[in-house]
Amino acid sequence: MDKRRGPIMVPRESPHYHRMRYYSAIRKGLKHMSQSTTYLDVPTHVIDDNAFIIFQTGREDPHDRKHSSLSTIFSIWNTMVGSGLFTIPWAFSNSGIVLGLIISFITFAISYYTCSIYVRLARNDSDFADTMYKYFGKKGWVVTMIFSILLMFSVIVIYYELMSQALFPVIAALIEWGGASEVSLDMGLDLSRFSLFYTCIALTLILYPVVSKRDISMFIRLNSFGIIFVCFILIYILAYGFYSLSNTTFEISNEESDLEGTTRNISLFRNKFNNLAGMMTLGYYIHNVCISIVKENKHPENNTRDVFIGYFLVFLSYSLVGSLGYLGFSGYTFKANIRETENLLYMFSATDMLAFVIRIICFCQMFSVYPMLFCVIRNQFGTIFYQGRELSNDIYLAFNATLLIVATIIGATFPKVGSILGYVGGFIGLGLIYIIPISLFLKRYKLQIEDPNLVEALDNNTVRSVKRKNPEFSPKLVIEESSTSSPGKQDIVNQTSDMTLQESLLQNGSYKTYKKSFLKFYLLCVIHAFIVLIGIIILALQFLSFEEW
Amino acid sequence: MATQDSEKVQKVLLMGRAGSGKTSMRSIIFANYLARDTYRFTFTVDINRSRVRFLGNLVLSLWDCGGQGLFMEQYFQSQKDQIFKNVEVLIYVFEVVSKEPDKDLEYYKNCLAALEDLSQGAKIFCMIHKMDLIADSMRDKVFEQKQQEIIDVSKDFDVTCFRTSIWDETLYKAWSDIVNILLPNVQDLKSSLKDFCDANSADDVVLFEKYTFLVIANHDNIGHKDDHRFEKISNIIKQFKLSCIKTNFQFESMTFKNSYFTAFVEEFTSSTYIMVISSDPDVETEAISFNIKASRDYFENLVTDSLGSS
């Protein structure tokens, strides 16, 4: 018999309890008189849901996995690279090309490293927050969920800004072609004439019914076209880069370019690299999504390799777009200073045909993704505040409306996408990319030294938590008997040991190797502290700026 | 002899189509083993086993309407007098997920026609049963729809409809409401119970119907939060009654004592049980027992009066 399941008991206070007992007494009595007893049998729709076993999606059969390595790599690349490409050349212009490449590389390396921690440690968990719950309990789960929901909210705001800033020139162009005078593309808050503000209002009115639609299958299908859009954008930016290389003379200098002349200055190192650092942190973030992508991999042993290749491709993309984009859009054909325009597309007038088309493409790409962002943030909200129950209709609509209104306000009053990306990347990146995975890694490492059985059980999800008699202590973790490799071994492990550590070590191995492992652990702590330090510096930089060196 | 019986006895008819849930309803409400509907091949033989008493001198008998083959229909027609004379109450059970709702209403109309001829003053209660098979969000709508259909068909009769299911508290509530309607002088009972309660310095006094443990009246001096408590007590006692039947003993009374309270459940009048709960440690429990015996006659008259005037 499966020892893990006990009988489902109706609580005594519930009126069901006595009713069911009474009915079963009637049934028993009838049996006694040898009469039919199929009536008064409890029908399934009356039974408590807890009596049914729920299929756990985190424990799928590995043979169900479908995707090849190539598909996995492609998904990883597609998820990270998007319309944000338009802000990278601006960031590179502020940091200088060489410094930009260096920063890009550093953030790539660190992000990949922490992402691989996620992939290795999460195993069959469906969500990273569950892994955190396993190792850090409720607090870990809460912190992860808060960061995730903040991140999703920031992405919603950023996408909103990008959409409104793509839509604004498109409408302006249509107005101009309709015969009106030229509409200024100034992004300041101006209520007197058609401006970004009115675009935002229009956009919100369009978006509200779209994101409130419950059936998102249409958008999922649309989203698969998104990759074509992204390719267009990439080609466009790179092409411009090559074009400018051919017709402009570039000089290496940190001075502002003389916009009237034909030569342009290109910096290699500048001191305003804070934006790039923050932006890159966010640019390499797919940590929580990565788990679901990688789960479908046909050969899970290749997971870390595939993630690496995916990340590397993204690094290449960002580097190319950054450097060539910077070169391209500093070309002498432009009269605007790239250092000031955070969104590349604003280098063009509203009526430029090519830009017009590209703007529409950008808008479509983001529009197809937008409802799904809302879907994710609603799920997160539901999981945190409503224990995963479905949101009632009122809350559902109110939630969507609130998010859109906040996004509109920010989009209209602070349309600086690059800066927002920097701040968000710095702060949330610090949490989700630096601190959380590293603390998870270190905790597991330490636990591996102290209690390898527990770690193995946690990996395989064969632990349960058992409430202690004294409610002040955190729940005990109990490894289920079927999972321990040595039969008959009673492995009840506490997070705060009853047995001293020395005693348990004497059972498991020598004290010397234990000490050596611990030394290694401390060393790892120090190394990883450096990584976290980098994260903190990046965050700090968003708010400071150095003087010119 | 059969005609004599039907002249004296006051009846409650529990009717409905086969499979509508009458039998389970009866077993549950009356704590009474009856797996099959009664087919009256000979009237006298079945009299004692199939009839259950209700509210003193009312007798409840259960009848299938319609279907079951030609023999049953003819018998029903020929025995119409026997069945429909002296009927106080008709409880008609409709199955909400019925496959032949039109036929259901037709049989119902036939019953009403028979009553119109033979027992004009009868009270009619309709149970719209098996509501658990309807999704939660649809229940109100479906109930109102069916209720309207029934009222339209019932013409001049005064009909009260209930929605019931044996899998929640609605069944017990519906029958309790029926008891309350059949005892219009419940207020008198209540005030007498209050006096009784105060006289005994008791916390709680409840008057239950004898056979079903449905609540006739109650008075409590402390507020209660649990609305389901009467159903729970009823189920517990009925379950105990069933165990008593197995041993061929009849349940008569129960005294329950612990450090928090003392509870008496005793036969009271000919159609009621009384439950008295006292938590005051200074009160002598024997005194309460004595008081119960002493008030029997008074309440017997009170209950009979209220039944008589209905």
Side-chain angles (χ1 to χ4, degrees):
Chain A
M1 190 179 101
D2 193 340
K3 286 189 207 151
R4 277 173 293 183
R5 286 168 51 203
I8 300 294
M9 293 294 288
V10 183
R12 275 193 146 209
E13 322 82 65
S14 148
H16 277 305
Y17 179 75
H18 293 292
R19 200 181 298 138
M20 296 300 182
R21 285 194 61 171
Y22 172 50
Y23 291 3
S24 75
I26 297 181
R27 233 181 295 136
K28 258 193 277 183
L30 288 169
K31 223 192 270 189
H32 182 68
M33 290 169 40
S34 54
Q35 304 231 13
S36 142
T37 52
T38 50
Y39 90 132
L40 288 191
D41 264 351
V42 184
T44 48
H45 61 274
V46 170
I47 297 178
D48 188 11
D49 288 343
N50 287 327
F52 296 95
I53 301 175
I54 297 169
F55 176 68
Q56 292 189 323
T57 54
R59 302 192 194 189
E60 284 161 1
D61 188 357
H63 296 297
D64 289 346
R65 295 173 185 183
K66 302 167 235 118
H67 296 171
S68 63
S69 283
L70 201 62
S71 171
T72 309
I73 295 172
F74 190 69
S75 301
I76 294 176
W77 180 79
N78 182 27
T79 312
M80 277 193 268
V81 170
S83 291
L85 286 176
F86 280 113
T87 51
I88 297 182
W90 166 76
F92 264 72
S93 77
N94 275 328
S95 70
I97 292 190
V98 176
L99 190 56
L101 288 171
I102 295 175
I103 292 178
S104 186
F105 182 74
I106 294 176
T107 43
F108 150 65
I110 297 177
S111 275
Y112 164 66
Y113 176 63
T114 53
C115 190
S116 66
I117 291 179
Y118 270 35
V119 168
R120 275 185 294 129
L121 260 49
R123 296 276 190 104
N124 285 326
D125 294 336
S126 49
D127 187 60
F128 186 68
D130 293 335
T131 319
M132 282 300 283
Y133 180 73
K134 281 197 299 198
Y135 286 92
F136 286 102
K138 192 107 205 281
K139 284 198 206 122
W141 186 86
V142 166
V143 168
T144 314
M145 288 306 286
I146 290 179
F147 270 107
S148 301
I149 206 174
L150 278 178
L151 175 69
M152 201 38 70
F153 174 66
S154 323
V155 171
I156 283 178
V157 171
I158 290 170
Y159 264 56
Y160 182 89
E161 289 206 356
L162 288 172
M163 271 200 284
S164 60
Q165 291 174 19
L167 193 63
F168 177 39
V170 165
I171 300 183
L174 292 172
I175 293 179
E176 273 185 37
W177 286 330
S181 58
E182 183 166 337
V183 179
S184 153
L185 283 186
D186 175 30
M187 288 197 274
L189 189 64
D190 190 334
L191 292 146
S192 59
R193 53 183 177 78
F194 178 70
S195 66
L196 187 65
F197 179 70
Y198 288 107
T199 317
C200 289
I201 306 276
L203 183 62
T204 307
L205 290 172
I206 302 174
L207 280 178
Y208 186 67
V210 171
V211 302
S212 299
K213 213 163 150 20
R214 286 192 193 256
D215 177 22
I216 54 163
S217 51
M218 174 175 77
F219 295 109
I220 294 178
R221 262 180 266 131
L222 261 181
N223 193 37
S224 40
F225 290 115
I227 182 61
I228 304 179
F229 297 141
V230 174
C231 284
F232 264 121
I233 296 169
L234 258 182
I235 296 173
Y236 174 70
I237 297 180
L238 295 180
Y240 242 104
F242 287 120
Y243 172 65
S244 293
L245 271 179
S246 61
N247 65 6
T248 318
T249 40
F250 290 105
E251 268 180 23
I252 296 180
S253 152
N254 276 348
E255 308 274 319
E256 289 266 340
S257 302
D258 172 19
L259 292 169
E260 300 304 317
T262 52
T263 56
R264 290 283 188 268
N265 296 326
I266 297 290
S267 348
L268 292 181
F269 291 88
R270 275 195 77 207
N271 63 343
K272 296 195 77 189
F273 54 87
N274 44 357
N275 281 315
L276 181 68
M279 205 184 286
M280 285 288 114
T281 321
L282 207 53
Y284 288 112
Y285 178 80
I286 51 154
H287 293 45
N288 55 357
V289 187
C290 196
I291 297 173
S292 17
I293 294 178
V294 151
K295 241 187 352 154
E296 301 294 321
N297 207 357
K298 213 184 272 177
H299 301 284
E301 57 275 13
N302 291 333
N303 277 348
T304 27
R305 181 199 74 177
D306 293 343
V307 172
F308 177 75
I309 298 177
Y311 259 89
F312 188 71
L313 285 177
V314 176
F315 168 64
L316 279 181
S317 315
Y318 285 163
S319 311
L320 280 175
V321 166
S323 33
L324 285 172
Y326 175 30
L327 286 171
F329 288 82
S330 305
Y332 85 104
T333 45
F334 293 102
K335 300 299 172 200
N337 188 353
I338 188 173
R339 290 183 189 170
E340 254 114 74
T341 31
E342 305 207 357
N343 189 347
L344 260 196
L345 287 172
Y346 272 86
M347 303 280 280
F348 301 98
S349 71
T351 46
D352 183 316
M353 216 32 227
L354 192 57
F356 184 75
V357 172
I358 294 288
R359 282 174 184 133
I360 293 185
I361 291 179
C362 271
F363 182 79
C364 291
Q365 192 255 336
M366 288 182 282
F367 193 76
S368 63
V369 179
Y370 214 60
M372 298 198 303
L373 295 179
F374 266 77
C375 209
V376 172
I377 199 175
R378 275 193 302 261
N379 276 340
Q380 289 173 328
F381 184 71
T383 315
I384 299 177
F385 293 106
Y386 289 90
Q387 291 93 43
R389 294 197 306 271
E390 227 184 273
L391 300 174
S392 73
N393 211 27
D394 299 330
I395 298 181
Y396 179 85
L397 292 174
F399 186 68
N400 293 341
T402 317
L403 280 182
L404 275 180
I405 290 174
V406 172
T408 315
I409 294 174
I410 300 180
T413 52
F414 191 75
K416 298 187 170 175
V417 183
S419 313
I420 294 186
L421 272 172
Y423 290 123
V424 169
F427 178 64
I428 294 182
L430 180 65
L432 283 174
I433 299 181
Y434 293 85
I435 295 183
I436 290 181
I438 286 177
S439 46
L440 186 71
F441 172 70
L442 292 171
K443 170 114 198 187
R444 187 175 184 275
Y445 195 84
K446 180 156 180 270
L447 213 53
Q448 183 89 26
I449 300 173
E450 289 171 355
D451 196 341
N453 281 321
L454 180 60
V455 174
E456 188 188 317
L458 281 171
D459 282 346
N460 295 328
N461 280 329
T462 50
V463 236
R464 295 173 283 146
S465 65
V466 169
K467 283 215 175 81
R468 294 189 203 254
K469 288 203 177 67
N470 184 346
E472 283 184 2
F473 293 132
S474 57
K476 215 158 71 159
L477 285 184
V478 175
I479 302 178
E480 299 176 5
E481 283 168 37
S482 52
S483 78
T484 53
S485 33
S486 37
K489 193 174 178 191
Q490 259 286 313
D491 267 86
I492 301 194
V493 184
N494 304 353
Q495 291 284 40
T496 61
S497 276
D498 290 339
M499 211 173 14
T500 68
L501 212 40
Q502 327 278 74
E503 288 171 20
S504 69
L505 282 171
L506 288 172
Q507 284 188 3
N508 290 337
S510 80
Y511 193 57
K512 231 189 187 176
T513 44
Y514 172 78
K515 260 213 141 172
K516 233 175 32 168
S517 320
F518 247 99
L519 273 177
K520 199 169 164 212
F521 168 68
Y522 289 131
L523 192 62
L524 276 175
C525 280
V526 170
I527 297 177
H528 285 84
F530 271 117
I531 299 182
V532 176
L533 196 61
I534 295 179
I536 297 178
I537 293 177
I538 293 182
L539 175 62
L541 280 177
Q542 302 304 318
F543 300 96
L544 311 166
S545 58
F546 298 108
E547 289 299 313
E548 289 270 6
W549 290 347
Chain B
M1 192 165 51
T3 28
Q4 267 188 324
D5 259 328
S6 58
E7 291 292 341
K8 271 198 294 195
V9 166
Q10 302 245 290
K11 297 181 198 148
V12 175
L13 296 184
L14 181 57
M15 292 192 138
R17 301 207 49 202
S20 54
K22 304 187 297 299
T23 323
S24 3
M25 203 188 272
R26 209 186 97 159
S27 295
I28 290 168
I29 296 290
F30 289 87
N32 158 280
Y33 296 126
L34 192 74
R36 283 166 28 230
D37 299 342
T38 46
Y39 297 118
R40 284 157 168 70
F41 297 101
T42 4
F43 199 65
T44 47
V45 170
D46 286 332
I47 267 180
N48 292 322
R49 240 191 301 148
S50 62
R51 301 194 324 187
V52 272
R53 307 203 71 200
F54 188 46
L55 281 175
N57 50 3
L58 288 175
V59 166
L60 185 140
S61 51
L62 197 154
W63 293 94
D64 271 352
C65 283
Q68 306 301 317
L70 211 53
F71 179 73
M72 191 56 209
E73 293 245 14
Q74 285 180 335
Y75 191 81
F76 197 75
Q77 289 301 325
S78 63
Q79 297 289 324
K80 211 165 78 161
D81 268 14
Q82 242 89 0
I83 300 170
F84 286 100
K85 256 205 171 136
N86 287 321
V87 171
E88 280 290 313
V89 179
L90 168 69
I91 302 177
Y92 199 90
V93 181
F94 289 93
E95 193 183 342
V96 74
V97 290
S98 164
K99 292 198 181 74
E100 299 174 315
D102 296 325
K103 266 211 159 161
D104 292 344
L105 285 172
E106 216 195 288
Y107 287 121
Y108 173 63
K109 271 201 308 194
N110 290 340
C111 290
L112 286 186
L115 279 179
E116 208 169 4
D117 288 337
L118 300 166
S119 312
Q120 283 97 347
K123 290 198 173 62
I124 318 251
F125 299 102
C126 289
M127 305 270 198
I128 298 171
H129 196 50
K130 301 196 185 172
M131 286 298 285
D132 55 281
L133 293 173
I134 304 285
D136 230 327
S137 49
M138 299 285 296
R139 280 184 199 165
D140 288 335
K141 218 170 61 148
V142 170
F143 172 65
E144 270 155 32
Q145 207 182 317
K146 273 233 92 106
Q147 185 176 43
Q148 195 52 51
E149 283 175 27
I150 293 169
I151 291 178
D152 289 339
V153 164
S154 306
K155 289 188 290 179
D156 296 326
F157 280 95
D158 187 15
V159 175
T160 318
C161 292
F162 298 100
R163 43 184 269 194
T164 58
S165 160
I166 59 175
W167 299 109
D168 58 34
E169 73 287 353
T170 49
L171 183 65
Y172 187 82
K173 265 192 165 247
W175 280 80
S176 295
D177 289 345
I178 290 179
V179 166
N180 263 283
I181 293 175
L182 293 178
L183 298 173
N185 294 347
V186 154
Q187 281 311 312
D188 287 342
L189 267 177
K190 263 204 121 164
S191 56
S192 299
L193 277 185
K194 179 177 185 306
D195 295 335
F196 183 82
C197 190
D198 293 337
N200 283 295
S201 308
D203 292 338
D204 225 320
V205 178
V206 186
L207 211 58
F208 288 105
E209 196 277 334
K210 191 170 190 174
Y211 303 99
T212 61
F213 273 86
L214 294 163
V215 175
I216 292 177
N218 77 302
H219 176 82
D220 64 86
N221 279 328
I222 20 166
H224 273 291
K225 288 200 208 99
D226 186 3
D227 288 330
H228 296 285
R229 65 191 190 279
F230 295 131
E231 192 201 347
K232 287 183 192 171
I233 293 173
S234 166
N235 286 339
I236 292 170
I237 295 182
K238 284 192 277 195
Q239 190 191 335
F240 184 65
K241 262 174 95 177
L242 288 179
S243 358
C244 288
I245 292 181
K246 266 195 275 187
T247 60
N248 278 319
F249 283 98
Q250 297 275 17
F251 170 66
E252 210 179 84
S253 75
M254 185 192 280
T255 309
F256 183 87
K257 276 194 176 117
N258 68 19
S259 49
Y260 298 110
F261 65 89
T262 306
F264 289 93
V265 180
E266 281 194 33
E267 266 190 53
F268 200 40
T269 69
S270 57
S271 56
T272 60
Y273 262 78
I274 193 168
M275 177 174 83
V276 182
I277 299 180
S278 169
S279 62
D280 190 341
D282 290 333
V283 174
E284 282 294 337
T285 47
E286 284 308 313
I288 298 182
S289 195
F290 187 77
N291 278 340
I292 291 176
K293 292 189 177 64
S295 339
R296 277 210 174 106
D297 288 336
Y298 173 73
F299 276 95
E300 179 78 59
N301 289 327
L302 202 55
V303 173
T304 321
D305 279 346
S306 63
L307 272 176
S309 57
S310 65

